[in-house]
Amino acid sequence: MPKTDSLQGSLDLLVLKILSRRPRLHGYAIMTAIQEISEEILRVEEGSLYPALHRMEEAGWIRAEWVIKESGRRARAYELTTAGRKQLSAEEVRWQAVTSAVGRVLRMA
Amino acid sequence: MSLLSRIANVFRGRAMSREIDEEFDSHIADAIEQGRDPAEVRRAFGSPLQLREASRDLRLLPWLDSLRADSVFAFRRLLKTKATSAAAILSLALAMGACTSAFRLIDALLLRPLPVAAPERLHAVAFEGIGANRQSMVYDSCSYPMFERMRAAVKDQAESIAVSYAERIDLTYGSGQEIERAYRQFVSGWMFSSFGLKPAAGRLFTADDDVTPGAHPVVVLSHDYWTRRFAADPQAIGRTLRIGDGVYQIVGVAESGFTGTETGTVTDVFVPMMMKSPRTLASFTNFWLRTLVQFKPGAAVEPVHERLRATFRTIQEERATTFTGISKQQMDRFFKEKLLLEPAAAGRSNLQREYRRFLLALGILVTLVLLIACANLANLMTAQAAARSREMALRVSIGAGRLRLVQLVLVESFWLVLLATVIGGVFAWRSAPFIVGMISSPENPARLTLPADWRVLGFALALALGVTFLFGLAPALRASSVKPVLALKGGEDPHSRRRLMHALVVLQIAFCFVVHFVAGLFIASFDSLSNQPTGFSAARILNLETVTQRPQPAVFWDQVLEHLRTLPGVETAALTTWPLMSGESSVGSVAVNGAPPSETMTDTLSVSPGWFDAMRIPLLAGREFNAGDANPAVAIVNEAFARQFFDGANPIGKSYDNGRGSVRIVGFVRDARSRDDLRLPIRPIAYLPFHAPQPMARGTFVVRTSTANPLALASILRQEVLRARSEFRVSNIRTQQEINRSKTIRERLLAMLAMFFAAVALLLAAIGLYGVLDYSVLQRRREIGIRMAIGAQAVDIARRLTAEIFLMVLAGAIAGLALGEASVRYIETLLFQVRPSSFGTIAIPLLVILTTALLAALPAVLRAVRIDPVTMLRAD
């Protein structure tokens, strides 16, 4: 499996964005959502997803609660907090700035 | 999440791990449900343990978590070695408890500021002069006119407050004839407002209560006394009480916590300065009060001190003009007196002066014991660290950092200290009041407020931390510097560890030697002090100190005496002013053969006929007083008097001039101790007949009982005095033995405590030595086995080991001796007639320690010689 290091900086952004559209997703669903929407181009490294989720939870951007799935198993569902919404827009602005900067370099150089 | 929830998470670590695992499991289950290969899913997910650790660290405080884990682990280890841990904790608890209680005493007596506004601005005036015995001495009493002049001189920079010594007096309430005793302190009217104190009830004095001599019959009670005597009843305000022949009204109660300025004595009744007798107030020569100087905010010390010095000098010069017949040396000494200004934030009292050195010595002793205990623990921890070097090496190999190892070992030490602190705290809580109880005598109770507040708590905490680092750090650093490769192979340099332990043993022995050396000095001092001859027999003597409201003529005193003599159980009875060695004294000047009055004053004591017989003071020549003798025509003198004034010749028939007339010497008696300072030689005494022309308001009936326990008669005699003449009241009954004993309280206590700590130090050092030798033999058993295999005899092995021990003891003793001799300087004032470098004071501790060391070493030596080379070499 190719390492998706390019996701390193944008994992938080992607997770926040997904959660802003679809609240109350658990970890696996977040991962599959990223893969589906990006049409399998972006792959989240499964191991690094959870530390990232827990870190954002610790930072107060998202909150989690245990839900019972149809299968009867418990799963931890995440949703965005107000602080998370603010963080999301800040990250989006930052992302736009970076990509347009990268685009300019590609065009001009 | 907040810091709080992170801290909380530390203590629900297991539940948190479970939650994280469950989330991971659910992820993997989801993936498998999606049809992925279970093995592939697990591989893709990565190591769940590592991920769990990463998540955990995010949700809690990692350092706190590791601390928690180490604490749990350390506690389990302590439980595993119960006996060793208990011994370590108990010895440390004893030492720490002793330290804490010593601190409580030192703090209460010397450091704790008075509960007044800005205690740091409070200073006390003292005077340093050269005493008759050429030694410098400090006293701090002034006369009232002196105080007024000094107050006026520094009025702009500071307010001066006069306070008398707190003295125990008799008082009665209303018409009730029951005599009570209480502590009275005369204070300047403006003291309470200067100190910023508020009344707890009624009102406090103001400057207006301290204007005209004799015109302000009011008192303020201390809160403590109000609570004790009146159960804090507000109705007490306005009640009257009688002190001597004055009637006073209670106007208020001082703020709780303020118990006067005499630290060590709790003042019960405050009286305005102006209520002291007008004669005393006007007298330039009656020194009866302390001058406290409270600086105004921002005032500098030096200018005030300078002004006070100048004022004092003027006063001295004025006084000098009134002197007559004074020698040149006396005059020189008089002018050499210097005025000192000492900080008095903690109050001022004689108890402080008397016990400062005592507490210092006590503090040093307990510190040494604490250090010995610490050395023991350091050795214990080092030995344990040696046994654990493989464990440590393993921890390092799997990635533990050095700091983490240091933390692990320090946490273990801290557990020991924590438990020791708790036990030691209980010990300190009980023992400090015990010592205060010991130094207070019924006549002179020492009352110290000993609150267990943040000061004591802070000290205990600082001590605990200090001790942890003191004995825990070296073993911790050593454990952390473990080299995994070497240790796992099973051999580091085995000697380096032993060298550290041996050095600590030498240190222990040195401290132990100091404790024994000092204890020996204290015990010898107490011994020679309590064996100081008194010159009279104290057995079965009961002193009935008696007062009358109005002075009574001598014949009435005689009537009571005659009545007492007829009572059953009374062998002999006599009358005098106050008991011998009670601390009270009066002096008179003596001039012989027309020369100017001698420099040495003589003690004078009025006694009735039969007194010498009652006190068993033998008559050397001449005669006893008889009923016809009257003060001051005749006197009986002692040997010291004859030595001083007549070159030791028989003084019978000679006479001396006491400044008012000629006194004929009719009797010559053996020396007897009149003063209470056992360290000084017996003074010249002139005994005068009790019969004096003027009536007397106080006297002491001296009764020698025929029963072994004189106190059995106390209550009967008290009633009989009242029956004989109703104006006579017994205010205090003391046996002579009790008075004599009370003069050596400090030395007795010091000897007792020193002996106790010496025993503890010896025990601790012995335990330490035993442990270290045992460990060292255990570690060297292979070496010893080899030595034996190649022909060494058991004797050689034993000799080698004992030589080692002997060397350690010797090195320790030499270091200890040097330390001890150096410290003697500081405790010299506590010693009496002992020579710090005499053979006995050095040999005895040396012998005791050497014997103990050999006894402690015996098990290890036996173990060494019993090593069987064959099994030893086969092992491992």
Side-chain angles (χ1 to χ4, degrees):
Chain A
M1 199 183 85
K3 287 271 175 207
T4 46
D5 278 351
S6 58
L7 263 179
Q8 214 39 277
S10 51
L11 182 58
D12 288 4
L13 172 64
L14 295 177
V15 170
L16 290 175
K17 189 75 195 171
I18 298 275
L19 285 179
S20 75
R21 293 277 161 73
R22 312 184 200 173
R24 295 168 72 82
L25 286 186
H26 51 273
Y28 191 80
I30 295 172
M31 187 188 80
T32 46
I34 293 175
Q35 285 172 2
E36 276 165 18
I37 295 167
S38 70
E39 290 165 356
E40 299 289 323
I41 291 176
L42 297 176
R43 290 183 71 99
V44 180
E45 194 190 339
E46 289 167 61
S48 58
L49 176 67
Y50 287 94
L53 282 172
H54 293 153
R55 195 186 61 245
M56 286 190 276
E57 186 185 354
E58 198 56 46
W61 300 340
I62 56 178
R63 62 169 160 261
E65 62 180 337
W66 287 100
V67 293
I68 310 282
K69 293 198 297 187
E70 314 85 76
S71 59
R73 245 197 330 272
R74 291 210 304 168
R76 222 155 169 251
Y78 293 88
E79 64 184 334
L80 221 53
T81 64
T82 329
R85 250 170 251 292
K86 272 197 206 119
Q87 180 65 23
L88 173 59
S89 46
E91 293 261 330
E92 276 181 317
V93 170
R94 194 181 62 85
W95 182 258
Q96 296 299 347
V98 171
T99 46
S100 66
V102 172
R104 263 202 305 283
V105 171
L106 289 181
R107 282 196 305 277
M108 304 296 199
Chain B
M1 250 175 268
S2 69
L3 185 68
L4 272 182
S5 71
R6 277 175 168 232
I7 291 172
N9 277 344
V10 168
F11 298 98
R12 48 178 290 270
R14 202 165 296 186
M16 207 170 54
S17 296
R18 254 203 317 275
E19 277 183 15
I20 296 171
D21 285 345
E22 195 176 345
E23 193 175 6
F24 292 169
D25 286 347
S26 118
H27 177 100
I28 289 169
D30 276 345
I32 295 172
E33 250 169 49
Q34 300 285 314
R36 284 167 62 185
D37 174 39
E40 183 270 327
V41 171
R42 291 219 164 77
R43 212 169 36 242
F45 194 75
S47 157
L49 265 182
Q50 209 175 343
L51 288 173
R52 188 223 281 173
E53 285 297 299
S55 286
R56 261 175 71 96
D57 283 357
L58 281 172
R59 291 210 204 169
L60 43 69
L61 298 173
W63 59 268
L64 193 63
D65 188 47
S66 74
L67 210 56
R68 182 197 57 83
D70 287 351
S71 301
V72 172
F73 182 75
F75 191 71
R76 284 199 195 125
R77 275 188 53 87
L78 283 191
L79 286 184
K80 238 165 99 183
T81 52
K82 276 196 196 78
T84 329
S85 310
I89 290 169
L90 279 182
S91 57
L92 194 62
L94 186 61
M96 289 181 65
C99 265
T100 313
S101 61
F103 172 78
R104 283 182 76 186
L105 291 173
I106 291 172
D107 179 55
L109 191 59
L110 303 174
L111 305 177
R112 183 179 293 272
L114 293 175
V116 302
E120 71 285 350
R121 294 209 308 264
L122 200 61
H123 283 64
V125 171
F127 306 95
E128 188 179 25
I130 316 255
N133 52 358
R134 304 256 167 281
Q135 279 178 342
S136 98
M137 51 151 206
V138 175
Y139 66 96
D140 47 16
S141 44
C142 306
S143 65
Y144 200 71
M146 250 169 100
F147 162 74
E148 284 183 311
R149 303 255 311 253
M150 291 195 288
R151 180 175 182 226
V154 296
K155 193 130 190 79
D156 298 334
Q157 289 94 26
E159 178 60 288
S160 306
I161 298 153
V163 293
S164 76
Y165 306 106
E167 51 181 338
R168 199 140 183 237
I169 50 143
D170 300 326
L171 51 80
T172 50
Y173 281 97
S175 57
Q177 292 297 297
E178 196 63 35
I179 292 183
E180 296 174 33
R181 315 216 86 195
Y183 276 92
R184 170 189 62 186
Q185 199 178 11
F186 288 100
V187 297
S188 293
W190 50 91
M191 176 188 80
F192 290 111
S193 54
S194 302
F195 282 172
L197 294 169
K198 305 255 171 311
R203 68 173 182 92
L204 299 178
F205 298 149
T206 62
D208 296 340
D209 290 307
D210 198 14
V211 181
T212 321
H216 309 282
V218 287
V219 298
V220 163
L221 307 182
S222 75
H223 191 274
D224 177 77
Y225 182 67
W226 184 48
T227 316
R228 249 184 313 127
R229 174 64 179 75
F230 293 106
D233 179 10
Q235 297 295 314
I237 313 296
R239 280 189 69 170
T240 56
L241 55 91
R242 177 183 279 277
I243 303 172
D245 48 7
V247 176
Y248 295 79
Q249 189 179 30
I250 301 172
V251 294
V253 177
E255 202 170 311
S256 80
F258 181 73
T259 53
T261 55
E262 299 269 301
T263 312
T265 313
V266 173
T267 301
D268 299 322
V269 179
F270 297 96
V271 180
M273 273 284 154
M274 281 299 137
M275 293 311 287
K276 188 86 179 175
S277 85
R279 230 179 60 206
T280 311
L281 281 173
S283 165
F284 260 96
T285 49
N286 199 336
F287 286 53
W288 60 282
L289 56 90
R290 281 180 221 280
T291 302
L292 301 178
V293 177
Q294 191 186 36
F295 285 86
K296 299 206 163 134
V301 177
E302 228 4 82
V304 173
H305 192 178
E306 198 43 59
R307 246 182 229 204
L308 286 173
R309 257 199 299 249
T311 315
F312 177 61
R313 175 142 281 267
T314 324
I315 294 171
Q316 293 280 81
E317 274 160 9
E318 281 169 23
R319 272 184 71 197
T321 58
T322 67
F323 288 160
T324 49
I326 204 163
S327 73
K328 175 98 178 50
Q329 289 142 306
Q330 264 178 315
M331 208 61 159
D332 277 353
R333 280 215 304 270
F334 181 72
F335 276 113
K336 274 204 186 108
E337 283 188 11
K338 274 191 312 198
L339 182 143
L340 312 173
L341 199 56
E342 298 171 337
R348 268 289 124 160
S349 68
N350 292 335
L351 200 70
Q352 288 175 331
R353 264 193 216 296
E354 223 177 299
Y355 278 90
R356 189 181 297 270
R357 292 278 159 159
F358 167 90
L359 287 176
L360 182 75
L362 190 65
I364 293 173
L365 282 183
V366 296
T367 310
L368 288 178
V369 170
L370 181 69
L371 289 175
I372 293 173
C374 281
N376 262 1
L377 278 173
N379 275 342
L380 177 76
M381 302 297 285
T382 311
Q384 281 188 351
R388 287 168 71 187
S389 63
R390 274 166 198 249
E391 175 201 327
M392 291 295 174
L394 201 63
R395 283 172 183 271
V396 172
S397 319
I398 60 175
R402 302 280 179 210
L403 271 181
R404 185 69 200 271
L405 290 191
V406 171
Q407 179 184 312
L408 180 70
V409 179
L410 273 184
V411 163
E412 258 172 58
S413 310
F414 192 71
W415 263 119
L416 287 175
V417 173
L418 195 71
L419 293 172
T421 307
V422 171
I423 299 171
V426 175
F427 177 73
W429 173 48
R430 309 290 310 183
S431 63
F434 169 75
I435 289 182
V436 175
M438 295 288 294
I439 64 177
S440 81
S441 57
E443 182 49 20
N444 191 17
R447 301 234 337 258
L448 271 176
T449 18
L450 285 166
D453 58 2
W454 62 267
R455 289 171 73 94
V456 179
L457 223 65
F459 175 82
L461 205 68
L463 189 70
L465 282 177
V467 163
T468 307
F469 282 101
L470 200 60
F471 76 75
L473 201 60
L477 289 177
R478 202 159 254 286
S480 74
S481 66
V482 68
K483 296 183 186 58
V485 182
L486 272 179
L488 288 177
K489 263 200 300 192
E492 258 186 302
D493 173 14
H495 300 295
S496 69
R497 205 158 249 152
R498 225 168 46 223
R499 275 197 294 271
L500 175 75
M501 292 170 86
H502 283 189
L504 282 177
V505 166
V506 170
L507 207 65
Q508 267 184 324
I509 288 173
F511 291 157
C512 193
F513 187 90
V514 175
V515 174
H516 274 250
F517 174 74
V518 171
L521 292 180
F522 287 151
I523 291 165
S525 290
F526 171 63
D527 195 48
S528 50
L529 205 57
S530 50
N531 285 329
Q532 274 292 85
T534 56
F536 61 85
S537 156
R540 295 184 282 124
I541 292 278
L542 202 59
N543 293 295
L544 286 73
E545 287 163 60
T546 307
V547 291
T548 60
Q549 224 161 66
R550 254 168 287 283
Q552 302 289 320
V555 280
F556 291 166
W557 287 89
D558 280 351
Q559 275 179 14
V560 178
L561 179 61
E562 284 311 320
H563 179 72
L564 290 181
R565 280 183 176 147
T566 61
L567 295 175
V570 173
E571 199 179 285
T572 52
L575 193 48
T576 178
T577 323
W578 43 64
L580 284 176
M581 289 173 67
S582 64
E584 289 187 276
S585 59
S586 76
V587 292
S589 72
V590 171
V592 289
N593 302 329
S598 117
E599 215 180 287
T600 322
M601 301 290 255
T602 187
D603 282 2
T604 60
L605 183 65
S606 301
V607 299
S608 72
W611 183 83
F612 291 102
D613 178 46
M615 298 308 293
R616 302 274 192 273
I617 299 171
L619 192 67
L620 295 173
R623 64 171 176 89
E624 254 249 45
F625 289 134
N626 56 43
D629 290 325
N631 201 343
V634 291
I636 295 175
V637 300
N638 69 350
E639 293 166 291
F641 189 97
R643 269 195 305 276
Q644 179 72 37
F645 302 107
F646 300 108
D647 294 321
N650 186 342
I652 300 294
K654 302 198 162 101
S655 48
Y656 68 89
D657 193 299
N658 66 1
R660 288 184 295 277
S662 177
V663 182
R664 194 162 46 87
I665 297 169
V666 296
F668 183 35
V669 291
R670 174 104 358 114
D671 276 343
R673 198 164 275 284
S674 56
R675 292 289 182 104
D676 59 345
D677 193 340
L678 289 165
R679 289 157 191 267
L680 300 175
I682 293 178
R683 295 168 54 98
I685 308 175
Y687 298 98
L688 306 168
F690 191 77
H691 272 209
Q694 68 272 26
M696 285 157 293
R698 66 171 292 192
T700 297
F701 294 102
V702 180
V703 175
R704 186 179 291 272
T705 61
S706 45
T707 50
N709 176 17
L711 278 176
L713 275 178
S715 60
I716 299 170
L717 290 175
R718 189 188 282 273
Q719 286 160 16
E720 290 298 330
V721 168
L722 190 69
R723 248 182 54 183
R725 284 207 72 91
S726 57
E727 316 74 54
F728 286 66
R729 301 258 175 287
V730 175
S731 70
N732 196 16
I733 298 187
R734 283 186 290 172
T735 68
Q736 189 66 42
Q737 273 170 333
E738 178 189 326
I739 296 176
N740 289 11
R741 251 201 319 272
S742 70
K743 305 308 164 196
T744 51
I745 282 179
R746 189 179 67 173
E747 283 72 17
R748 178 200 312 274
L749 190 63
L750 200 52
M752 241 173 58
L753 289 174
M755 207 143 77
F756 172 71
F757 286 124
V760 172
L762 196 66
L763 185 70
L764 291 182
I767 292 174
L769 192 67
Y770 164 77
V772 168
L773 289 175
D774 204 51
Y775 167 77
S776 127
V777 166
L778 204 68
Q779 215 188 23
R780 287 164 70 184
R781 59 193 187 280
R782 217 180 313 178
E783 172 205 327
I784 295 170
I786 294 171
R787 281 178 192 278
M788 287 179 132
I790 57 175
Q793 296 297 307
V795 191
D796 301 323
I797 303 289
R799 200 166 48 215
R800 277 183 76 85
L801 277 172
T802 38
E804 212 171 73
I805 297 157
F806 197 73
L807 268 179
M808 285 198 287
V809 173
L810 208 62
I814 290 169
L817 187 61
L819 267 175
E821 293 286 348
S823 62
V824 161
R825 230 155 30 89
Y826 300 101
I827 53 168
E828 220 159 22
T829 53
L830 292 170
L831 302 180
F832 179 71
Q833 285 186 352
V834 287
R835 281 187 304 123
S837 50
S838 73
F839 177 74
T841 53
I842 296 167
I844 293 171
L846 190 64
L847 212 65
V848 168
I849 290 173
L850 199 63
T851 316
T852 314
L854 288 178
L855 276 179
L858 205 60
V861 174
L862 284 182
R863 187 180 193 155
V865 298
R866 285 214 190 113
I867 284 174
D868 179 9
V870 181
T871 42
M872 189 45 55
L873 293 178
R874 272 211 199 122
D876 273 354

